[in-house]
Structures are given as C-alpha cells and as structure tokens.
Amino acid sequence: MSSRISQSVIVQMKEATPRPIGVVDSAGMVVASSDLALIGSHIISAENIAAAGGERCAVYGGRTFRAMNGPDMRLDYAVFVEGTDETAASLCVMASIAVSEAKTYYDEKYDKSALVKNIITDNILPGDIYVHARELHFTADVPRAVFFVRQIGKADVAVVDAIRRLFPEKQKDFVISISETDVAVVKEVGPNADAKELSRLALSMEQAISDELGIKTVIGIGTIAHHLRELAGRYKEAQVAIDVGKVFDTDKTIINYENLRIARLIYQLPTTMCEMFLSEVFKMNPIDSLDDETLSIINEFFDNNLNISETSRKLFVHRNTLVYRLGKIKKLTGLDLREFDQAIVFKVALMVKKYLNSQKAN
C-alpha cells in the first residue's frame, strides 16, 4: 500500500486526538505518522509486530500496536498509538480499521492482482472490468492460463511464495491466495500455448511445492482465456477439473479440464438419469454382479485400446484365455467388448457407476 494513503488517513485521525498515531511496515519502519519526525525511523522489530497479530492489541516501548495481515496471511503492516491505556487501545483499533479500509480501496482501484482476484471470484460487474483494466494500463486481450492449486493434507501459506518464485513477472502473472488450502494462478502465455505446455507449467508448480515444502497438491487447469472477462469462467473450469478428477482420475495430481470431456458431462447429470441408464444397459445382470477380477480385466482391455494380444500380454494370460473371459462377460452382461460400439457403452456405464458411488459416499 502507498505510504501516501496511510499518511492521509493518519493526518485525518490527528484531528480526533492529540496522541501520536502511525503505521509501521513489516520491518518495523515508520511509513506514516502524525509526528512527522518519526517517519523513516525504526521503533519495533518485526518479531514484536507479529506478537501483536490477530484481533488483539499489543504493548511495546510505551506504545500500543495492532498488526494487520496481507492477502496471503503474512504480516503486512501495524498501526500504533502513543500510550498503553484503554484509550490508546481503542484509538489503535479505530485507526487500524480506517487504514485497512483505505488499503482495500487503494488495492481494488490501483492493484492489478486485486482486479484479477475480483474477476475470478465474480466480485466485479462485467462492464467494470474493461474500465478498471484501462485505468491500470492492463492489457485485456492476451492469452492467459488459469490454474487452481489445492493443498492435500497439511497446508502452508508459503505455497504462495513458492509459486511466485516460479513466476516473478508480477505485472503479467498473478498468484492469488483464495483460502487456507487453495491458490489461484493466472499466467500470461504465448499465442500458441497448448494443453501440453499448460501441463508442464502445472508440473513445475507441483514439483516446486513438493521440493521446497514437502506438500502434496492437486492442480486443476482451465482452458485458455483470451480476454480478462473470460477469467471467471476459466477459473471455474479449473475448479471443476479437480472435482471431476477426484471421481474419475483419482490417481492424477494434474487434471486438465479440456481432457475430461465425457467425465465432466457425466458429472453434470442427475443421479436419477444415471441410475436409469445403468438399468437399461445391464438388463440381464446389474453391473454390481461383476467381481473385482473381471472388472480389472475389463479396465486393462480398455487401457490397451481393445487389443486382445496386448491385453493378454499385460495380464500374463494366453490369448485364448482372454477371449474365453470376454465371452463370459458377454453372456453375463449382454455386451461384447470386442465390438467398438458396445465397448463404448460399457466404458460409459463404468464411469456412470463410479460417479454414482462418489455421490453416495458424499
């Protein structure tokens, strides 16, 4: 935040009390004060500022402090008031609220990262996007990729810093803390960027977070946005990629929305329609009648593109044995997996069943 904005708020507060009021940055240096002689001096250490965090005020060196955190939950600045009594505490709280409101206004009007966050979280009217972008000299119509990074297990705010080190161009690439576990990344890409390039970028993030912090992540990738107004939709795609991937690609940690296709279609279907589809497909016997070994054979057959020879080699069984087992599956279900059209129906049915199981688990 501009020290000029802080100073403006503090000067107005000066009219309400004769007590010196000011603002220190994360290093303890005074960046604004009603006592101009204090500006530029160090009056507190960063460690002692941190002790003043949260909703409480802290006393140090004859002054009352109240620390304020930035959007990534790290110490941003602290407001101080001369004195250690209740009046000083009340003034400190009021001053911190005033400075915080001014900071929010300043960020929303003059900070590109705040604009991007407002866009992806639908916190801005579509008609205002272009206006704010023009005020910030922000190019609106360049290709941008949107990633949604979710921490699995333990969470650490340092994830934001780890990603920012990968993308240091702060005027083009934006790493935004969404919650304790979630981070959004909006990165400018070239005109020829494709799904493979986006996957490589996601992999670099995953590896950096794992190597530096030992934290596991799952990363959703939206399709490329070609204008700022498209970012909200692409952000939702990245979120959906994680949700759908959790059902259909449980072993993957990087999931591209563009690659989900049938999976995301099934994910949007009502469960009643899915149940009707399964009952129509498996008229002879329900899909639950297939044991785990049979399902394993079917999945291997699909993984090898319905190639009998390759599947038998992977399963370490004779080709004739596999043909015999596929015949038994046909008798049991009425579907011949060696026929392409029937195999497609069976594959979709397995995905529908997996989706229904996930819904029941929730």
Side-chain angles (χ1 to χ4, degrees):
M1 180 179 65
S2 170
S3 58
R4 180 173 56 84
I5 300 298
S6 300
Q7 185 64 22
S8 176
V9 174
I10 296 304
V11 168
Q12 294 177 63
M13 291 289 295
K14 184 178 180 180
E15 298 177 4
T17 176
R19 298 196 185 200
I21 303 175
V23 177
V24 295
D25 62 17
S26 58
M29 185 179 79
V30 179
V31 295
S33 176
S34 57
D35 181 356
L36 298 180
L38 287 175
I39 296 177
S41 63
H42 286 78
I43 63 171
I44 187 173
S45 67
E47 291 77 13
N48 285 317
I49 294 175
E55 298 297 320
R56 298 167 297 157
C57 291
V59 172
Y60 179 80
R63 296 182 177 94
T64 300
F65 291 83
R66 189 170 190 237
M68 308 295 288
N69 292 327
D72 58 359
M73 302 310 292
R74 291 184 177 276
L75 181 66
D76 195 0
Y77 62 92
V79 176
F80 70 86
V81 175
E82 195 74 32
T84 60
D85 55 2
E86 291 185 5
T87 301
S90 297
L91 288 170
C92 194
V93 170
M94 288 188 289
S96 65
I97 292 172
V99 172
S100 179
E101 289 297 317
K103 178 183 185 299
T104 300
Y105 174 79
Y106 177 85
D107 285 349
E108 289 182 351
K109 188 169 183 179
Y110 298 106
D111 184 69
K112 290 181 181 179
S113 182
L115 173 60
V116 171
K117 183 172 184 178
N118 284 334
I119 293 172
I120 64 175
T121 56
D122 277 332
N123 198 29
I124 185 172
L125 294 174
D128 290 338
I129 294 175
Y130 178 75
V131 175
H132 286 285
R134 187 174 57 184
E135 289 175 348
L136 294 169
H137 305 289
F138 197 173
T139 306
D141 55 353
V142 298
R144 293 181 173 92
V146 181
F147 305 86
F148 187 79
V149 182
R150 172 162 290 164
Q151 300 174 63
I152 306 299
K154 67 174 183 176
D156 193 330
V157 295
V159 163
V160 173
D161 292 332
I163 300 174
R164 280 179 180 157
R165 281 190 285 274
L166 289 175
F167 310 124
E169 183 54 73
K170 294 183 179 180
Q171 296 302 309
K172 293 183 178 181
D173 303 329
F174 305 92
V175 182
I176 301 166
S177 178
I178 301 297
S179 68
E180 185 180 353
T181 59
D182 300 337
V183 177
V185 179
V186 177
K187 175 167 176 49
E188 188 173 313
V189 294
N192 298 319
D194 56 14
K196 288 184 178 179
E197 181 177 341
L198 301 191
S199 294
R200 285 195 295 270
L201 289 170
L203 181 60
S204 68
M205 286 186 269
E206 180 184 50
Q207 290 177 338
I209 295 168
S210 177
D211 292 344
E212 292 184 31
L213 304 170
I215 291 176
K216 294 181 179 179
T217 58
V218 58
I219 302 176
I221 308 172
T223 55
I224 293 176
H226 294 280
H227 195 282
L228 283 175
R229 62 174 173 266
E230 298 175 357
L231 289 179
R234 304 301 183 261
Y235 174 67
K236 289 183 176 65
E237 288 177 356
Q239 289 178 304
V240 168
I242 288 181
D243 292 337
V244 176
K246 188 166 59 176
V247 176
F248 298 105
D249 291 315
T250 54
D251 58 331
K252 291 186 178 180
T253 56
I254 296 174
I255 306 149
N256 196 321
Y257 179 85
E258 200 172 70
N259 297 335
L260 293 171
R261 296 188 175 92
I262 294 177
R264 70 174 188 254
L265 177 63
I266 294 172
Y267 190 79
Q268 297 173 30
L269 293 175
T271 55
T272 51
M273 186 177 294
C274 292
E275 289 167 350
M276 287 174 58
F277 172 76
L278 289 181
S279 63
E280 290 173 3
V281 171
F282 296 101
K283 294 178 181 178
M284 297 176 62
N285 291 289
I287 192 171
D288 291 329
S289 63
L290 299 173
D291 57 39
D292 291 340
E293 182 182 1
T294 301
L295 288 173
S296 178
I297 292 171
I298 293 170
N299 285 323
E300 190 68 42
F301 190 51
F302 286 140
D303 289 343
N304 288 283
N305 300 315
L306 311 185
N307 187 306
I308 291 178
S309 298
E310 185 64 19
T311 304
S312 60
R313 187 181 70 82
K314 290 286 183 65
L315 292 173
F316 301 103
V317 297
H318 194 276
R319 188 180 188 279
N320 292 341
T321 302
L322 178 60
V323 171
Y324 172 74
R325 290 183 177 179
L326 292 175
K328 287 187 65 177
I329 293 170
K330 180 182 178 182
K331 289 181 180 179
L332 187 64
T333 65
L335 294 172
D336 188 350
L337 301 187
R338 291 167 292 183
E339 296 292 332
F340 182 73
D341 291 346
Q342 296 183 46
I344 289 176
V345 173
F346 204 109
K347 177 66 174 179
V348 172
L350 288 176
M351 295 177 70
V352 168
K353 180 60 177 176
K354 186 178 287 188
Y355 168 64
L356 287 175
N357 289 340
S358 72
Q359 293 299 103
K360 291 175 182 177
N362 293 334

